[in-house]
Amino acid sequence: MLRELTPQAKEYANELNNLNQQRKAIGEEIQNQASEIAENIFQNKNKNKNKNINIKKTLCLYDSTWHEGVIGIAASKVKDEFFRPTFIFTDSQQSGVIKGSGRSIPNLHLRDVLANIAAKNEYKNLFLSFGGHAMAAGLSMKAENFDKFCTAFESEVNAQIDENLLTATIDVDGELSAEELNFANAKMLENQIFGNGFSEPKFVGNFIVCDVRILKQIHLKLLLKIGNSQNKNIEAVQFFAKNLDIRVGDEIKIVYTLGVNRFANTENLQLKIEYLEKIQVAEN
């Protein structure tokens, strides 16, 4: 990317951006497919129809057409949506071998789970390779061992965590006033460094929906205001929204982070919604 000639640098930058957009689209498609399969399982609509799926406390999904380069991203999104330790598999370039990428939930060390499985006599030859850390891991194995892995993964996770740990909770940093919901604060937070043990602050609040747009049939883009305040409407977005039945005039409660949306050489405040629920109006 180090080029003295500006036109050539722009050409490379545009090519890189196009590749990134293609990768993003592939990732979204895989996530949508995996989420739909998992949703069907939870709703008991897919019983015994797909032998490549096993779910109790865990999610194991496999599709030969999924792209190896983005299954980790998809696993992370599906884990977040269903709050289950999740592995997503696809075919590798080696015939008869599949690769899996896994993501975990708090209180479950994913690599240790794989190590415990590998240490058992009945599974000592299950993996061709595996590695990772507490929250993410990867492995490769023969395709014929997929069902065996699903059984072993479920058994090991079941031995390590209780049912109550499979309910997602969100820690929030409080509620922001209309005055605090501003671009300057979003910019300030964007310039901070967050990570494990020092996560990006999340806020909670009630808002009135002023406008609704549905993007690509799965994302929500909203204009919101706080109660009857006269402040300017606030843009908000929720990717892979589980509830698209949001209408103008609805009152909603959301958990969100402050973000900066950049488009057409402009920067604006944007709330990035992590959780949304409608507030039910009491009937008289």
Side-chain angles (χ1 to χ4, degrees), residues 122-151:
E122 62 266 42
Y123 300 125
K124 63 180 181 179
N125 295 319
L126 181 61
F127 304 132
L128 297 176
S129 64
F130 72 89
H133 51 82
M135 300 303 292
L139 65 90
S140 64
M141 63 185 180
K142 293 181 179 179
E144 63 195 45
N145 288 330
F146 175 80
D147 289 335
K148 183 183 288 187
F149 170 76
C150 292
T151 300

Coordinates of all heavy atoms in Angstrom, one line a residue, residues 122-151:
E122 N -11.7 -42.7 23.7 CA -12.6 -42.9 22.6 C -12.5 -41.8 21.5 O -13.0 -41.9 20.4 CB -14.0 -43.0 23.1 CG -14.6 -41.8 23.8 CD -14.5 -41.9 25.3 OE1 -13.4 -42.3 25.8 OE2 -15.4 -41.5 25.9
Y123 N -11.8 -40.6 21.9 CA -11.7 -39.5 21.0 C -10.2 -39.2 20.7 O -10.0 -38.1 20.1 CB -12.4 -38.3 21.5 CG -13.9 -38.5 21.8 CD1 -14.4 -38.3 23.1 CD2 -14.7 -38.9 20.8 CE1 -15.8 -38.5 23.3 CE2 -16.1 -39.2 21.0 CZ -16.6 -38.9 22.3 OH -17.9 -39.1 22.5
K124 N -9.3 -40.0 21.0 CA -7.9 -39.7 20.9 C -7.5 -39.4 19.5 O -6.5 -38.7 19.2 CB -7.0 -40.7 21.5 CG -7.1 -42.1 20.9 CD -6.1 -43.1 21.6 CE -6.2 -44.5 21.0 NZ -5.3 -45.4 21.7
N125 N -8.1 -40.0 18.5 CA -7.8 -39.8 17.1 C -8.9 -38.9 16.4 O -8.9 -38.9 15.1 CB -7.7 -41.1 16.4 CG -6.5 -41.9 16.9 OD1 -5.4 -41.4 17.2 ND2 -6.7 -43.2 17.1
L126 N -9.7 -38.2 17.2 CA -10.8 -37.4 16.6 C -10.2 -36.2 15.8 O -10.7 -36.0 14.6 CB -11.7 -36.9 17.7 CG -12.9 -36.1 17.2 CD1 -13.8 -37.0 16.3 CD2 -13.7 -35.7 18.4
F127 N -9.3 -35.5 16.3 CA -8.8 -34.3 15.7 C -7.5 -34.5 14.9 O -6.6 -35.3 15.3 CB -8.5 -33.2 16.8 CG -9.7 -32.9 17.6 CD1 -9.5 -32.8 19.0 CD2 -10.9 -32.6 17.1 CE1 -10.6 -32.5 19.8 CE2 -12.0 -32.3 17.9 CZ -11.8 -32.2 19.3
L128 N -7.4 -33.9 13.8 CA -6.2 -33.8 13.0 C -5.3 -32.7 13.6 O -4.1 -32.8 13.7 CB -6.4 -33.6 11.6 CG -7.2 -34.7 10.8 CD1 -7.5 -34.3 9.4 CD2 -6.4 -36.0 10.9
S129 N -6.0 -31.6 14.1 CA -5.3 -30.5 14.7 C -6.3 -29.7 15.4 O -7.5 -29.7 15.1 CB -4.5 -29.7 13.7 OG -5.4 -29.0 12.8
F130 N -5.9 -29.0 16.5 CA -6.8 -28.0 17.2 C -6.0 -27.0 17.9 O -4.8 -27.3 18.3 CB -7.8 -28.7 18.1 CG -7.2 -29.3 19.4 CD1 -7.2 -28.5 20.5 CD2 -6.8 -30.6 19.4 CE1 -6.6 -29.0 21.7 CE2 -6.2 -31.1 20.6 CZ -6.2 -30.3 21.7
G131 N -6.6 -25.9 18.3 CA -5.9 -24.9 19.0 C -6.8 -23.7 19.3 O -8.0 -23.7 18.8
G132 N -6.3 -22.8 20.1 CA -7.2 -21.6 20.4 C -6.9 -21.1 21.8 O -5.9 -21.3 22.4
H133 N -8.0 -20.5 22.3 CA -7.9 -19.9 23.7 C -9.3 -20.0 24.3 O -10.1 -20.8 23.8 CB -7.4 -18.5 23.7 CG -8.1 -17.6 22.7 ND1 -9.3 -16.9 23.0 CD2 -7.7 -17.2 21.5 CE1 -9.6 -16.2 22.0 NE2 -8.7 -16.3 21.0
A134 N -9.5 -19.2 25.3 CA -10.8 -19.4 26.1 C -12.0 -19.1 25.3 O -13.0 -19.9 25.3 CB -10.8 -18.4 27.3
M135 N -12.0 -18.1 24.4 CA -13.2 -17.6 23.8 C -13.3 -18.0 22.3 O -14.4 -17.9 21.7 CB -13.4 -16.1 23.9 CG -13.5 -15.6 25.3 SD -14.8 -16.4 26.2 CE -16.2 -15.7 25.4
A136 N -12.2 -18.5 21.7 CA -12.2 -18.9 20.3 C -11.3 -20.1 20.1 O -10.2 -20.1 20.7 CB -11.8 -17.7 19.4
A137 N -11.6 -21.0 19.2 CA -10.8 -22.1 18.9 C -11.1 -22.6 17.5 O -12.1 -22.3 16.9 CB -11.0 -23.2 19.9
G138 N -10.1 -23.3 16.9 CA -10.3 -23.9 15.6 C -9.8 -25.4 15.6 O -9.0 -25.8 16.5
L139 N -10.3 -26.1 14.7 CA -9.9 -27.5 14.6 C -10.1 -28.0 13.2 O -10.8 -27.4 12.3 CB -10.7 -28.4 15.6 CG -12.2 -28.5 15.4 CD1 -12.6 -29.7 14.5 CD2 -12.9 -28.7 16.7
S140 N -9.4 -29.1 12.9 CA -9.6 -29.9 11.6 C -9.8 -31.3 12.0 O -9.2 -31.8 12.9 CB -8.5 -29.6 10.6 OG -7.3 -30.2 11.2
M141 N -10.6 -32.0 11.2 CA -10.8 -33.4 11.4 C -11.4 -34.1 10.1 O -11.8 -33.3 9.2 CB -11.8 -33.7 12.6 CG -13.2 -33.1 12.4 SD -14.2 -33.3 13.8 CE -15.8 -32.5 13.3
K142 N -11.5 -35.4 10.1 CA -12.1 -36.0 8.9 C -13.6 -35.7 9.0 O -14.2 -35.7 10.0 CB -11.8 -37.5 9.0 CG -10.4 -37.9 8.8 CD -10.2 -39.4 8.9 CE -8.7 -39.8 8.6 NZ -8.5 -41.2 8.7
A143 N -14.2 -35.5 7.8 CA -15.6 -35.2 7.7 C -16.5 -36.3 8.3 O -17.5 -36.0 8.8 CB -15.9 -35.0 6.2
E144 N -16.0 -37.5 8.2 CA -16.8 -38.6 8.8 C -17.0 -38.5 10.3 O -17.8 -39.2 10.9 CB -16.2 -40.0 8.4 CG -14.8 -40.2 9.0 CD -14.0 -41.3 8.3 OE1 -14.0 -41.4 7.1 OE2 -13.4 -42.1 9.1
N145 N -16.2 -37.7 10.9 CA -16.2 -37.6 12.4 C -17.1 -36.5 12.9 O -17.1 -36.2 14.1 CB -14.8 -37.5 12.9 CG -14.0 -38.7 12.9 OD1 -14.5 -39.8 12.9 ND2 -12.7 -38.6 12.7
F146 N -17.8 -35.8 12.0 CA -18.6 -34.6 12.4 C -19.6 -35.0 13.5 O -19.7 -34.3 14.5 CB -19.3 -34.0 11.2 CG -20.2 -32.9 11.6 CD1 -19.7 -31.6 11.8 CD2 -21.6 -33.1 11.7 CE1 -20.6 -30.6 12.2 CE2 -22.4 -32.1 12.1 CZ -21.9 -30.8 12.3
D147 N -20.4 -36.0 13.3 CA -21.4 -36.4 14.3 C -20.8 -36.8 15.6 O -21.3 -36.5 16.7 CB -22.3 -37.5 13.8 CG -23.2 -37.1 12.6 OD1 -23.5 -35.9 12.6 OD2 -23.6 -37.9 11.8
K148 N -19.6 -37.5 15.5 CA -18.9 -37.9 16.7 C -18.5 -36.7 17.5 O -18.5 -36.6 18.8 CB -17.7 -38.8 16.4 CG -17.0 -39.3 17.6 CD -15.7 -40.1 17.2 CE -16.2 -41.5 16.6 NZ -15.0 -42.3 16.4
F149 N -18.0 -35.7 16.8 CA -17.5 -34.4 17.5 C -18.7 -33.7 18.1 O -18.6 -33.3 19.3 CB -16.9 -33.5 16.5 CG -16.6 -32.1 17.1 CD1 -15.6 -31.9 18.0 CD2 -17.5 -31.0 16.8 CE1 -15.4 -30.7 18.6 CE2 -17.3 -29.8 17.4 CZ -16.2 -29.6 18.3
C150 N -19.8 -33.6 17.4 CA -21.0 -33.0 18.0 C -21.4 -33.6 19.3 O -21.7 -33.0 20.3 CB -22.2 -33.0 17.0 SG -22.0 -32.0 15.6
T151 N -21.4 -35.0 19.4 CA -21.7 -35.7 20.6 C -20.7 -35.4 21.7 O -21.1 -35.2 22.8 CB -21.8 -37.2 20.3 OG1 -22.8 -37.5 19.3 CG2 -22.1 -38.0 21.6

